[in-house]
Amino acid sequence: YDFLLAQSKHFGGIGLEHHESSENGVRPGYFKDWDKAIAARELLPHEYVHSWNGKFRRPAGLNTPDFQVPMQGRLLWLYEGQTEYWGWVLAARSGLTTPALARERLARTAASYALQAGRAWRNLQDTTQDNLMAPRRNNRDWRSWQRSGGDYYGEMLLVWLDADTLMREKSGGTKSLDDFARAFFGMRDGELGPLPYDFTDIVAALNAVVPHDW
């Protein structure tokens, strides 16, 4: 907690999910000039989504019985990557930002990854290991070549966008990632979990919505 508090004071913000709540802090002036800035608009919906994506439904490798068992974060591309996608979708749907600004933010994200040299040699799933090797280190040398743990947020946001549009195209507009979320996360109403999942569970749930070589 002291570490997180220090981070909050240094960077001026924090987003920390809990099982039935979240801790969200932003820089002073967040509500000032509302129409001129969109920074951190996705923070609240992102952490809200974590209540069911990450806390209720949790990757099996992160569902450890105690602090003596090392966590395995191989499925953070769903835990954080899809949550990042829902954060921006819900920000636009709720009016925290506009659809146009959300699309511009997506375009900027896509452009930045198109120019990232590290994608030529390091696959995206490997970046989930950064939490063990170099947690939250943004000041590393040759960052574009090394990649970072933030990539399973941002680049997976684009992958889940692609999955959503593919579902809509293949189903003639009758199915979308909303249906996946409803089936995968919206089960056992009233239970707190955690309810672990693995890779095969994700693929099976996607195929149940729209059959494809996921």
Side-chain angles (χ1 to χ4, degrees):
Y1 178 81
D2 289 339
F3 169 77
L4 292 170
L5 185 61
Q7 293 289 92
S8 176
K9 290 179 178 178
H10 180 70
F11 294 109
I14 185 175
L16 179 63
E17 70 266 24
H18 297 281
H19 208 154
E20 297 179 81
S21 63
S22 64
E23 182 179 354
N24 306 282
V26 291
R27 292 177 181 273
Y30 175 72
F31 294 103
K32 184 180 179 182
D33 297 326
W34 183 259
D35 295 332
K36 297 180 181 180
I38 61 171
R41 297 289 178 85
E42 80 285 0
L43 174 63
L44 183 58
H46 180 105
E47 304 304 339
Y48 176 79
V49 169
H50 270 318
S51 176
W52 36 273
N53 182 12
K55 293 306 179 183
F56 170 58
R57 299 245 41 196
R58 190 175 305 179
L62 297 180
N63 189 40
T64 53
D66 53 53
F67 292 116
Q68 310 309 315
V69 180
M71 288 187 171
Q72 303 293 328
R74 295 185 184 92
L75 297 180
L76 281 169
W77 48 266
L78 177 66
Y79 184 125
E80 292 291 1
Q82 194 175 118
T83 298
E84 188 76 354
Y85 178 66
W86 288 123
W88 275 102
V89 168
L90 295 180
R93 288 179 181 176
S94 66
L96 285 169
T97 187
T98 66
L101 286 175
R103 286 192 291 268
E104 288 182 15
R105 177 72 176 266
L106 287 170
R108 188 185 74 173
T109 301
S112 68
Y113 281 110
L115 299 174
Q116 189 184 81
R119 296 177 69 239
W121 72 271
R122 188 180 183 192
N123 68 58
L124 181 58
Q125 181 164 311
D126 191 59
T127 66
T128 64
Q129 306 302 319
D130 269 35
N131 296 295
L132 301 174
M133 298 185 297
R136 305 290 180 173
R137 280 184 56 195
N138 293 323
N139 59 341
R140 67 183 73 187
D141 295 329
W142 305 102
R143 185 180 177 192
S144 180
W145 277 101
Q146 291 194 53
R147 306 200 70 174
S148 73
D151 289 351
Y152 59 78
Y153 286 78
E155 189 171 343
M156 277 307 304
L157 157 68
L158 300 174
V159 174
W160 287 115
L161 170 63
D162 192 29
D164 195 359
T165 56
L166 186 147
M167 285 180 164
R168 296 170 189 270
E169 290 168 2
K170 290 180 71 70
S171 68
T174 63
K175 299 291 183 181
S176 71
L177 205 63
D178 292 59
D179 297 282
F180 167 83
R182 188 176 298 110
F184 195 72
F185 303 115
M187 58 176 65
R188 301 187 184 181
D189 190 31
E191 284 193 24
L192 298 180
L195 182 61
Y197 61 82
D198 58 24
F199 179 75
T200 57
D201 296 322
I202 301 171
V203 174
L206 288 167
N207 272 318
V209 178
V210 174
H212 182 66
D213 185 11
W214 297 104

